[in-house]
Amino acid sequence: MKNQRVVKTEKILANGMKVILLYKKDYVQSLFMIGIPAGGRNVLDIDSNTKEVSAHPSGCAHYLEHQNFRLNGQDVTPQLAAMQAQTNAFTSYSETCYYVSTSADVYGPLGLLIDFVQTLDITQNTVDKEKGIILSELHMDQNQPESRIFHETFRSLYRNVYLKNDILGTDEDISNMTVKDLQDFYSQFYDPSRLVLIGVTGQDPTAIMEFIEKKEQAFPSSAGLKKSLKPYFDEEPDIPARSEFSLNMDVYEPYQAIGVKLHKAPSIKEALRRDYIVNFWLDSLMGPLNPDYQKWLDERILSQFSGAEADITEDYGYMVFYSQTSRPQAFVDLVNELLDKKPLVDQKTFEALRIMNRANSIRALDHFESLALDHIRGSFGGYDPMELPDEYASISLDEINNTIRSLDLSNRVNTSIRPFETELEEPYENEADDESSKEK
């Protein structure tokens, strides 16, 4: 999709930082985001050239995100607020991102973002003070059924792939985190040659690029591109780690999920295409375009917290069906029937979903945070997200249905969360037999 309203400027600076500015004349707000190619997955990493493996405590990326809003011994948040700017950050499995947004002058907030992200200002005291906060965040997340149902499904699906681990880390690793742990992680991943800075703005992109380039002169690269790092883990078998998991929580109605282990993709281009196709199919099954969808709602098999999603990358592939439901067994039976029958997409649904997806890609141009994140992921993955709508538009109905026919949907796991008053009082899990867990 060639959108003439958005002008893209891209440059690799002298220190190796990649800068992408997305300019649109009628943008009133500006957002700037710095992305680091490290997240919850980076516990063990291997250098593709030397085959050297480096190790970090789990949760390092997220812990560092909490610590990194400091500059010259001060929290930068009040300074940014005084500049009429808001700031935030997040850590996923694959990246950590820091961003500022403002409708006022961009140079103060942008300059401060550049400075604090690329200046590690921590002490053992600041690290120790953060431990209680992060442990509390971890425990709160573990007690949220909406997130717990996904965490346990991933732990059932994977023996080796990093999705089985919590992005926040473990109690033990968080409790024992040191300054040196964070310094080592920072030096390995926060070198400017690894960073991507995205700007989404209606202000002069030429002047902004000159400002960024001048600021970055203070941050020369120390590592360059000498190391080509990627997550290290043993080859993942086809068979899931466990076929079932159930536990009791303080919930009013049960939560149920069915996870399906899919094959990983051989390349990023194939991953993006296959991911789109599988999610397209799931939207046709578990949304209002399916004539049976309202019936499933009326029968209380589905609820407001129901759906299906897939993620296919070069490291893994999965789909998850989930619902808070008063009829968990009916939900399990429904999903298994859909997976067994693999109902194909008809022409009418195909056209409707394709129009909806096209409209969503246009609306996404006005969602600054997701637009910036898409470009950060595209930069790390080696593709241009602005070209994806045209790539997806080339996918035919036949390709979608042929892909769905070819999927192996046999490797399934069943995850359930029940109210305390139900019969099950202790977590139950059914580990896959060791012999059957060997890769096919």
Side-chain angles (χ1 to χ4, degrees), residues 8-25:
K8 181 176 179 179
T9 305
E10 186 172 324
K11 188 171 186 178
I12 304 293
L13 305 186
N15 63 1
M17 173 186 272
K18 186 174 187 179
V19 181
I20 298 174
L21 300 179
L22 303 173
Y23 167 79
K24 184 180 172 185
K25 185 178 180 180

Side-chain angles (χ1 to χ4, degrees), residues 144-187:
Q144 292 293 327
E146 291 85 0
S147 58
R148 187 70 181 273
I149 195 77
F150 282 93
H151 288 325
E152 296 300 344
T153 298
F154 293 150
R155 291 185 180 108
S156 293
L157 286 172
Y158 297 106
R159 292 180 179 273
N160 302 321
V161 173
Y162 44 80
L163 289 187
K164 69 185 179 70
N165 302 320
D166 199 305
I167 291 172
L168 277 64
T170 65
D171 280 75
E172 180 179 4
D173 282 347
I174 294 169
S175 299
N176 295 323
M177 196 71 68
T178 67
V179 169
K180 186 177 186 308
D181 291 329
L182 299 178
Q183 288 173 334
D184 289 346
F185 194 92
Y186 186 91
S187 64

Side-chain angles (χ1 to χ4, degrees), residues 36-38 61 64-65 68 96 98 117-118 185-195:
I36 294 90
L64 194 55
E65 174 218 311
N68 210 30
T96 304
Y98 303 82
V117 170
Q118 296 181 93
F185 194 92
Y186 186 91
S187 64
Q188 185 157 325
F189 292 106
Y190 277 65
D191 187 85
S193 63
R194 300 192 188 282
L195 308 187

Side-chain angles (χ1 to χ4, degrees), residues 265 267-277 312 383 388 392 395:
S267 66
I268 186 65
K269 182 177 181 179
E270 179 62 26
L272 291 167
R273 198 170 182 92
R274 199 183 301 173
D275 183 89
Y276 177 87
I277 289 172
I312 299 173
Y383 62 90
L388 290 181
Y392 296 151
I395 297 174

Side-chain angles (χ1 to χ4, degrees), residues 42-55 188-189 227-233:
N42 298 99
V43 178
L44 289 176
D45 295 283
I46 187 168
D47 185 335
S48 301
N49 299 320
T50 66
K51 306 304 179 185
E52 177 186 358
V53 176
S54 55
Q188 185 157 325
F189 292 106
K227 290 186 177 181
S228 178
L229 298 171
K230 64 178 183 178
Y232 177 79
F233 50 87

